Amino acid sequence: MLFRSVGIQTGQSLLIPTSDGLILIDGTWPDTADMVLDSIRKAGFDPVNIKYILISHGHTDHFGGVGRIKQVAVNARVGASAADWDLIATTQARPGNGLPLQRDLVINDGDAIKLGETTLKAYVTPGHSVGALAFDIPARIGRRTYRLVNPRLGIRIPPNMTEPYIKSIERLKTLGPWDGYLPEHPFLSMRPVQISAKDFYV
């Protein structure tokens, strides 16, 4: 299993193929959702086969396109943390934040999302948002499986979230070592080398 980046220049969206369908992490902006769908098709996959759409956190550049993608992936479960489902509802009460989303799958800390032979783990890591999720993603190349972390190491942290953010980073250190880091935005650097706890410093 190899993930595919199917997002846009300013917004990451990760496609994870499995033996039983597709997992999509994040949907970018409301007006770029069709770009994500086109990228999935160009990568050789049918978005109809998306079984899970996982929302990393409740900011519009990550959930705004999910409603449009869900129109195509009609059987997909849509998941977010409980706190960020609340944030999404509050944000969508204002216009311009995508097609309305109904609260569906609530992802709790430590939950495993299993599809086919692939299992992702999700961790609630407050900081970038109150219920931001970090994903532990397995990537198999040949006979070897690598652990990749897709965290919410955001570039904007609200002042009242500084302490929770530091605690979240400290926790991610203990969950390593990691073999790779998948940034939440393409303009944040990717790291091809092994990552261990010492790499996560605030």
Side-chain angles (χ1 to χ4, degrees):
M1 183 277 300
L2 287 174
F3 69 92
R4 307 296 202 281
S5 177
V6 292
I8 60 172
Q9 187 175 13
T10 58
Q12 185 63 278
S13 189
L14 296 174
L15 183 73
I16 302 170
T18 81
S19 60
D20 194 33
L22 305 170
I23 300 171
L24 184 69
I25 298 177
D26 288 339
T28 73
W29 299 92
D31 58 355
T32 56
D34 281 305
M35 296 180 186
V36 174
L37 292 168
D38 288 344
S39 292
I40 293 170
R41 297 183 184 105
K42 287 176 183 176
F45 300 96
D46 189 340
V48 170
N49 295 323
I50 297 172
K51 301 295 180 62
Y52 288 100
I53 304 172
L54 307 179
I55 300 173
S56 66
H57 63 289
H59 294 166
T60 305
D61 57 331
H62 292 264
F63 78 78
V66 170
R68 166 62 184 140
I69 294 169
K70 173 69 172 160
Q71 286 183 325
V72 177
V74 293
N75 295 315
R77 296 292 308 275
V78 178
S81 70
D84 275 24
W85 272 122
D86 291 341
L87 178 57
I88 288 167
T90 299
T91 304
Q92 288 207 312
R94 303 187 298 269
N97 290 289
L99 296 175
L101 295 175
Q102 298 297 317
R103 184 181 295 238
D104 183 8
L105 178 65
V106 175
I107 300 175
N108 298 302
D109 185 62
D111 278 357
I113 296 95
K114 181 174 175 58
L115 187 61
E117 83 295 349
T118 300
T119 301
L120 276 62
K121 290 200 75 173
Y123 303 102
V124 178
T125 53
H128 191 51
S129 72
V130 67
L133 294 172
F135 296 105
D136 185 341
I137 302 173
R140 284 186 291 278
I141 301 177
R143 296 183 179 181
R144 182 171 176 182
T145 299
Y146 298 85
R147 282 186 74 200
L148 306 179
V149 61
N150 175 228
R152 312 278 75 79
L153 300 181
I155 55 177
R156 296 186 308 276
I157 306 299
N160 66 318
M161 295 301 291
T162 299
E163 189 62 30
Y165 179 76
I166 291 172
K167 290 180 179 179
S168 293
I169 298 303
E170 291 296 326
R171 184 174 178 221
L172 284 178
K173 295 179 189 181
T174 69
L175 294 171
W178 308 96
D179 296 306
Y181 159 55
L182 300 174
E184 63 177 336
H185 291 281
F187 53 79
L188 298 173
S189 63
M190 292 194 67
R191 301 182 185 185
V193 297
Q194 187 181 45
I195 291 180
S196 62
K198 64 182 174 57
D199 291 294
F200 288 98
Y201 286 109
V202 176

